Amino acid sequence: MAPWTLPLLLPLLTVVVWPLAVQPAPPTCYSRMLTLSREIMADFQSLQASEPEDSCVRYLPRLYLDIHNYCVLAKLRDFVASPQCWKVAEVDTLKDRVRKLYTIMNSFCRRDLVFLSDDCHALEYPIPETTTAPDQHS
């Protein structure tokens, strides 16, 4: 290779190799389930906040998802099967995403799942997360 060809090839190599070097790792089954469950909960909360008080949305089953709780599979099935809000576009979209999460958890990523509990009550009445440390009095 002639010494003058290296400066010509350097920009070409940069264009080809650089994008490959900065590509993030593809999502794992676990990260995909976790991300999708958080997105579904956020969308459900946003739907509840945007709909009027008398709308069908308030009759939908609660949707707190903990992918480490075995009861979440039944929770997902119940939500998709609920007859409330039939033919409401936003709810149909949410139910499609819930169905997708159920399929991922029950089929594609079944071997990657580790259930840490089977407390169905915890999915109905989750413990609120605290964002500040409690005051300690000496």
Side-chain angles (χ1 to χ4, degrees), residues 32 34-44 94 97:
R32 182 65 185 128
L34 194 59
T35 301
L36 188 54
S37 68
R38 288 177 180 161
E39 290 172 358
I40 289 169
M41 286 192 305
D43 289 349
F44 182 67
L94 185 62
R97 295 183 79 202

Side-chain angles (χ1 to χ4, degrees), residues 52-119:
E53 188 65 28
D54 61 344
S55 90
C56 64
V57 172
R58 76 179 211 178
Y59 299 108
L60 287 169
R62 290 176 182 234
L63 197 56
Y64 172 73
L65 303 178
D66 175 5
I67 65 169
H68 303 106
N69 187 330
Y70 183 74
C71 294
V72 75
L73 294 171
K75 176 70 119 175
L76 294 171
R77 278 193 313 264
D78 291 349
F79 188 83
V80 170
S82 66
Q84 286 82 7
C85 299
W86 190 59
K87 292 191 177 182
V88 175
E90 295 86 3
V91 176
D92 286 343
T93 301
L94 185 62
K95 284 184 176 185
D96 286 343
R97 295 183 79 202
V98 169
R99 191 176 298 111
K100 181 179 180 179
L101 177 61
Y102 179 82
T103 302
I104 290 170
M105 290 180 75
N106 208 29
S107 301
F108 304 116
C109 300
R110 188 176 187 95
R111 292 187 185 115
D112 295 348
L113 266 177
V114 175
F115 295 112
L116 304 176
S117 76
D118 62 352
D119 182 5

